[in-house]
Amino acid sequence: MHQISVSVFGLFDLPIGLIIALPAETLLLVGLRMSFASRLASILAGIGLVGMVALLALPSPGGSILIPGSVAGAENVLGTVWLIGSTLVAVVVLAWPRLGGARPATK
């Protein structure tokens, strides 16, 4: 789905697949970080997401590649952006410090 693009008045192609997919990944990981006290759920989701993107970027036994541009020699910017962008989003969200600072002790 990251390959979907729409032509804007014939001037350029807008990659709406990436525009939707990268923020969706960000919202998923941020939501998990905010919902749970520990980072375990977001770490597991990040590992699963990056692992699946990496797995889909590999050539299958038949030679087909689901994320083109991730293999040397393939010229596909959207595939490369999806591969690198999804990994960077996961790393940044997981490495971001917890907001809110110290909480007051309850009695």
Side-chain angles (χ1 to χ4, degrees):
M1 297 303 291
H2 69 281
Q3 296 285 327
I4 295 175
S5 61
V6 174
S7 179
V8 179
F9 304 115
L11 300 174
F12 62 92
D13 291 335
L14 186 66
I16 62 170
L18 280 176
I19 292 172
I20 293 171
L22 287 174
E25 175 190 358
T26 305
L27 290 173
L28 169 74
L29 295 175
V30 168
L32 287 172
R33 279 286 310 270
M34 293 175 66
S35 296
F36 297 102
S38 72
R39 295 182 185 197
L40 182 62
S42 56
I43 288 172
L44 293 175
I47 289 171
L49 198 139
V50 171
M52 285 308 299
V53 169
L55 182 67
L56 294 175
L58 295 173
S60 70
S64 63
I65 301 171
L66 294 176
I67 301 179
S70 57
V71 178
E75 296 296 326
N76 187 332
V77 175
L78 294 179
T80 304
V81 169
W82 174 240
L83 185 67
I84 295 171
S86 63
T87 305
L88 284 176
V89 164
V91 168
V92 168
V93 170
L94 295 175
W96 200 265
R98 187 174 251 324
L99 299 176
R103 296 188 178 155
T106 58
K107 293 182 181 183

